Amino acid sequence: MNRALKDAISSLFDFCDTGKSNWKNAKGISIERDQLKTEFINFVSYLSASDGTIATFEAEFLNTYFDVFMTAEELRKYIDKNNTYTSEFEQTVPKTLISLVERDNNVYANSGKLSISYSATYCAVFECVAKEFLVCDGEASETEVSDMTIYITMLNDYRRNNYVGPKNVTSGIDVTVIHAGENIPKINEKGEVEETLGDFLEELNNLVGLETVKRDVNSLIHLQEIKRLRKARGLKEIPVSNHLVFYGNPGTGKTTVARLLAKIYHAMGILSQGQFVEVDRSGLVAGYVGQTALKVQEVVKSALGGVLFIDEAYALTHSSSSNDYGQEAIDTLLKAMEDNREDFIVIVAGYPELMVKFIDSNPGLRSRFNKYINFEDYSVAELTRIYKVMCQNAGYTSTDEAFAYATEVFETKYKNRGKNFANAREVRNFFEAAIIKQSDRLFGMENPTNEELCTLILEDVK
């Protein structure tokens, strides 16, 4: 038993029990405690059903942490009866979390401060329960980790969208004593606190749109942590390739997410350095016999301990020249991936159709790249949100007329988009053009105010 987890669960029950309930069950348990216990049982049963089999240890897990005595067969019947392994369950926010978010918001509204967030505690303890359960699973699979991610993401998303208190408020339970993998803050050479895993995850989850991508990346992160924990405890390791295929149109965030993933994996201890090296065909292929292999080896050497990101990777196999050395680059890269598989990750990226052809062009590529993440085009609402964030980050605001016009432009671009639609790059180009026009407009103005310097009007964005 993980005693720290058991204590955390007990503390969460105490937090949820207001002591004001007039309803108690036959054993004298308040409605809040009874409701929370059911939510825990449902969650564990959901994870149990993920791999298609119900093992004895999974029923014992319920007994160990929640004093629920079930056999494996009884657990299977419970799952069938309560429909806990369904899409509806994955999308239904637990009542306890709803009430805890409401309690946090009320405390903050009434007192203007919040020392402990009970809703943050709820999410943190549920995630710890999931990780402990998967670590104990003798055959933890990618499906189980993916299902865990879907549910935990749903909890965190609900809290993020409905909690209105201060962001820096802490959970009432120290989850760092429950499981390994948390990093102690480090001070760099400049005396500054280095960014932590939590900082990188927050940056990832705060990206505009990309909901499917964020879920897939969070699932990868959870899988890596479970893999590391199992290895540390001498359990059977999860066989998984770290190399990835990012496919999608330009400007959908592939490079941004890959760069973040390098930082995240370094913070988790999966990569020793965490540097991000970006190349394309020209950075790997030379024009003479024997030079391409040396060029690839130099690039790989610079990326060892981190992530090598190859944009438009399909260009390695698409050439009209008879003296093309793209295949030599691929062969050299595949060997490097095999020789350094413990501390080197390759992410290849590009248009969807071309990436499929690229991976299918070589059996070695198919065997090493088996995880695909799809970066969909941004919606009009997301493009508009990206524009707003760009303005905020640069210290600009748009008048209502300018913002409405920008929205119309993005809607037109989206409706008429072709294969060269650049998504967020379209927004950046629009924003930069607006700044230039504003500069031209203000250049001849004598002593413009700060507000004028920071405001984009309709004339600037047209």
Side-chain angles (χ1 to χ4, degrees):
M1 178 197 296
N2 185 330
R3 175 52 61 181
L5 176 59
K6 180 77 171 179
D7 292 343
I9 292 170
S10 177
S11 296
L12 182 59
F13 273 105
D14 291 339
F15 288 166
C16 294
D17 190 351
T18 62
K20 299 179 180 179
S21 174
N22 294 320
W23 182 93
K24 293 185 179 181
N25 65 14
K27 295 183 179 180
I29 305 299
S30 69
I31 187 173
E32 293 91 353
R33 286 178 176 268
D34 199 59
Q35 178 176 275
L36 177 59
K37 185 173 184 177
T38 299
E39 290 168 359
F40 271 126
I41 296 171
N42 289 344
F43 180 46
V44 172
S45 68
Y46 162 78
L47 294 175
S48 301
S50 183
D51 60 0
T53 61
I54 308 299
T56 300
F57 95 89
E58 294 172 332
E60 292 175 346
F61 187 92
L62 284 171
N63 179 21
T64 300
Y65 290 98
F66 305 105
D67 299 323
V68 176
F69 297 91
M70 283 188 187
T71 64
E73 178 61 21
E74 288 171 336
L75 178 55
R76 184 190 64 76
K77 291 180 180 179
Y78 181 92
I79 295 168
D80 293 340
K81 179 181 178 181
N82 294 278
N83 298 315
T84 56
Y85 193 64
T86 61
S87 296
E88 181 180 1
F89 176 77
E90 293 175 339
Q91 298 166 8
T92 303
V93 182
K95 293 180 179 179
T96 300
L97 178 58
I98 295 173
S99 65
L100 291 180
V101 169
E102 184 178 351
R103 189 197 301 184
D104 285 346
N105 292 341
N106 288 338
V107 171
Y108 183 63
N110 293 331
S111 65
K113 60 182 179 180
L114 189 68
S115 58
I116 293 177
S117 169
Y118 295 117
S119 60
T121 304
Y122 184 98
C123 295
V125 173
F126 264 72
E127 183 168 340
C128 288
V129 167
K131 290 176 179 177
E132 184 68 21
F133 180 85
L134 294 188
V135 166
C136 293
D137 190 341
E139 297 291 341
S141 66
E142 289 189 51
T143 301
E144 290 175 302
V145 176
S146 176
D147 286 340
M148 162 198 161
T149 303
I150 290 172
Y151 196 82
I152 296 300
T153 299
M154 179 270 292
L155 298 181
N156 288 322
D157 283 349
Y158 176 82
R159 181 179 184 273
R160 184 183 301 112
N161 294 331
N162 293 278
Y163 168 77
V164 298
K167 289 186 177 181
N168 59 349
V169 66
T170 60
S171 163
I173 298 173
D174 182 11
V175 297
T176 62
V177 301
I178 298 175
H179 61 88
E182 301 292 339
N183 287 286
I184 298 174
K186 299 178 181 179
I187 307 298
N188 62 25
E189 295 178 354
K190 297 180 181 179
E192 302 168 335
V193 177
E194 293 185 357
E195 291 182 287
T196 66
L197 175 60
D199 295 327
F200 299 136
L201 292 176
E202 182 177 4
E203 185 177 350
L204 170 68
N205 290 318
N206 284 337
L207 293 175
V208 175
L210 303 176
E211 297 307 321
T212 301
V213 173
K214 286 186 280 192
R215 187 191 71 190
D216 287 347
V217 172
N218 274 289
S219 184
L220 285 175
I221 294 166
H222 292 153
L223 181 63
Q224 291 291 352
E225 183 169 0
I226 296 301
K227 179 182 177 183
R228 182 187 58 76
L229 287 171
R230 288 173 58 82
K231 181 178 181 181
R233 299 187 188 185
L235 299 172
K236 184 177 179 181
E237 292 189 46
I238 305 173
V240 59
S241 172
N242 292 331
H243 309 296
L244 301 166
V245 178
F246 284 4
Y247 63 97
N249 291 324
T252 47
K254 297 186 293 295
T255 305
T256 298
V257 172
R259 185 178 286 110
L260 263 175
L261 198 56
K263 296 177 180 179
I264 290 169
Y265 277 7
H266 174 53
M268 294 177 67
I270 295 165
L271 293 172
S272 61
Q273 303 296 324
Q275 75 273 33
F276 178 81
V277 178
E278 181 180 1
V279 296
D280 55 15
R281 175 189 165 88
S282 64
L284 297 173
V285 179
Y288 302 96
V289 176
Q291 294 301 308
T292 290
L294 294 176
K295 199 170 186 178
V296 173
Q297 289 167 4
E298 290 176 0
V299 170
V300 169
K301 184 178 180 180
S302 70
L304 289 179
V307 168
L308 175 61
F309 181 78
I310 307 176
D311 198 14
E312 298 182 348
Y314 43 77
L316 293 172
T317 57
H318 284 69
S319 175
S320 57
S321 172
S322 58
N323 295 322
D324 181 65
Y325 304 107
Q327 188 57 51
E328 182 182 353
I330 292 175
D331 293 340
T332 307
L333 181 63
L334 289 174
K335 184 178 186 306
M337 291 166 64
E338 180 64 26
D339 294 344
N340 304 282
R341 59 182 178 273
E342 295 299 325
D343 197 21
F344 177 53
I345 294 176
V346 177
I347 301 176
V348 293
Y351 288 103
E353 300 85 0
L354 295 176
M355 288 307 298
V356 171
K357 293 179 180 178
F358 170 67
I359 296 300
D360 287 343
S361 70
N362 187 303
L365 292 172
R366 283 198 301 271
S367 65
R368 288 170 178 81
F369 292 98
N370 54 24
K371 180 64 177 178
Y372 297 73
I373 296 183
N374 178 26
F375 288 71
E376 298 179 348
D377 286 340
Y378 290 107
S379 66
V380 175
E382 289 166 347
L383 292 171
T384 304
R385 173 61 180 158
I386 291 171
Y387 171 70
K388 187 174 182 179
V389 170
M390 285 183 180
C391 288
Q392 291 173 342
N393 290 343
Y396 286 86
T397 60
S398 290
T399 62
D400 292 343
E401 295 84 358
F403 191 78
Y405 181 82
T407 302
E408 292 177 4
V409 170
F410 300 143
E411 184 172 355
T412 300
K413 286 180 176 290
Y414 182 81
K415 287 182 178 179
N416 299 320
R417 70 190 189 282
K419 67 177 183 179
N420 294 321
F421 178 65
N423 286 280
R425 294 178 196 170
E426 300 272 2
V427 180
R428 178 165 295 281
N429 291 339
F430 178 88
F431 172 65
E432 291 177 351
I435 291 177
I436 292 173
K437 290 195 69 176
Q438 186 229 35
S439 299
D440 291 340
R441 176 173 59 82
L442 297 179
F443 181 73
M445 185 181 296
E446 184 176 353
N447 296 322
T449 65
N450 288 348
E451 182 178 359
E452 289 172 328
L453 289 170
C454 297
T455 302
L456 298 175
I457 65 174
L458 182 59
E459 179 183 343
D460 301 326
V461 299
K462 272 195 171 183

